[in-house]
Amino acid sequence: NAGVTQTPKFRILKIGQSMTLQCTQDMNHNYMYWYRQDPGMGLKLIYYSVGAGITDKGEVPNGYNVSRSTTEDFPLRLELAAPSQTSVYFCASSTGTGAEQYFGPGTRLTVT
Amino acid sequence: SQKIEQNSEALNIQEGKTATLTCNYTNYSPAYLQWYRQDPGRGPVFLLLIRENEKEKRKERLKVTFDTTLKQSLFHITASQPADSATYLCAFPSYSSASKIIFGSGTRLSIRP
């Protein structure tokens, strides 16, 4: 089991560019999440999904989009990158409500 | 809206002592609380979950309490070791949706030899 994998590990974007952060889990978990973590801060929920075809907004969804076409994959799309989106992005998965979340290693994104 | 607060300052503890971290919440009574550990440059790792009808939960040297009257959870590490140095995060489900998990900002714990 690889668990939760994220690509890329690091990325530098110019203002206005777009990119997709990839997240894949091989644990057959229904729930998946995207968080961002700014330096010295906790995790902020961007989007989450309770199953394939179902997504919902978290605390800070503006500037992001997601899709969930399969159980395994939950990509996060950044359109028109802004410096405020400089952060570390974590993907996580769980079996359901109340269950522990398994986190990926994170993607460190810098927008300049 | 609900708020979750953890000690914003780092906690420095002598090895062997008990470390106690606090998680306070307002405007809501969650059905459970989770605690995670995060090492620098890595994703959080789940440690413990405590439900509202449980006063205390233990796992090896870890103990979590949940006081719904005080709206507070305490996380204890007994016989602390330098390897316990990390940031500890508490989390609970949002009042608007049990599927949305809200995290505190975390408390950085340093155990000195």
Side-chain angles (χ1 to χ4, degrees):
Chain A
N1 264 356
V4 179
T5 56
Q6 293 182 238
T7 56
K9 285 187 169 43
F10 304 92
R11 183 73 186 269
I12 298 174
L13 278 183
K14 294 191 186 307
I15 294 171
Q17 287 185 322
S18 299
M19 77 164 294
T20 299
L21 280 66
Q22 301 292 346
C23 175
T24 300
Q25 53 93 8
D26 63 359
M27 297 174 283
N28 201 34
H29 287 169
N30 283 324
Y31 285 35
M32 295 188 75
Y33 309 83
W34 273 108
Y35 295 91
R36 59 176 287 173
Q37 186 174 37
D38 298 328
M41 304 295 286
L43 300 164
K44 295 291 186 188
L45 182 65
I46 304 172
Y47 271 96
Y48 67 102
S49 168
V50 299
I54 306 168
T55 62
D56 207 347
K57 296 178 180 178
E59 302 170 90
V60 290
N62 292 344
Y64 307 93
N65 276 302
V66 294
S67 59
R68 184 94 182 273
S69 55
T70 66
T71 299
E72 295 78 21
D73 301 305
F74 191 38
L76 177 72
R77 178 85 178 158
L78 277 73
E79 305 281 2
L80 299 174
S84 61
Q85 293 178 305
T86 293
S87 192
V88 180
Y89 291 83
F90 289 102
C91 179
S93 71
S94 75
T95 56
T97 302
E100 65 177 280
Q101 294 187 49
Y102 293 81
F103 283 82
T107 293
R108 186 176 297 273
L109 176 69
T110 302
V111 182
T112 62
Chain B
S1 62
Q2 77 235 51
K3 283 185 67 176
I4 184 167
E5 295 177 347
Q6 296 187 249
N7 313 54
S8 56
E9 295 181 12
L11 195 60
N12 293 297
I13 300 290
Q14 179 75 42
E15 181 177 6
K17 302 289 187 186
T18 297
T20 299
L21 285 65
T22 305
C23 178
N24 295 304
Y25 56 93
T26 59
N27 299 332
Y28 176 51
S29 293
Y32 64 86
L33 264 162
Q34 296 177 331
W35 283 89
Y36 289 79
R37 169 184 172 140
Q38 186 175 25
D39 292 293
R42 303 180 76 97
V45 174
F46 173 82
L47 296 174
L48 281 166
L49 178 150
I50 185 165
R51 301 191 183 281
E52 61 180 340
N53 60 350
E54 298 174 313
K55 295 296 182 194
E56 181 179 298
K57 201 80 168 281
R58 291 176 185 262
K59 180 182 175 182
E60 298 172 354
R61 293 183 296 111
L62 308 180
K63 184 178 85 171
V64 173
T65 62
F66 193 0
D67 190 325
T68 55
T69 302
L70 292 178
K71 294 188 181 298
Q72 180 181 80
S73 175
L74 298 179
F75 178 82
H76 307 272
I77 305 177
T78 58
S80 59
Q81 304 167 359
D84 295 326
S85 299
T87 295
Y88 291 85
L89 303 157
C90 67
F92 63 61
S94 167
Y95 74 91
S96 61
S97 169
S99 303
K100 289 167 68 170
I101 306 302
I102 308 299
F103 279 81
S105 57
T107 298
R108 191 165 65 204
L109 175 66
S110 293
I111 309 297
R112 58 182 186 275

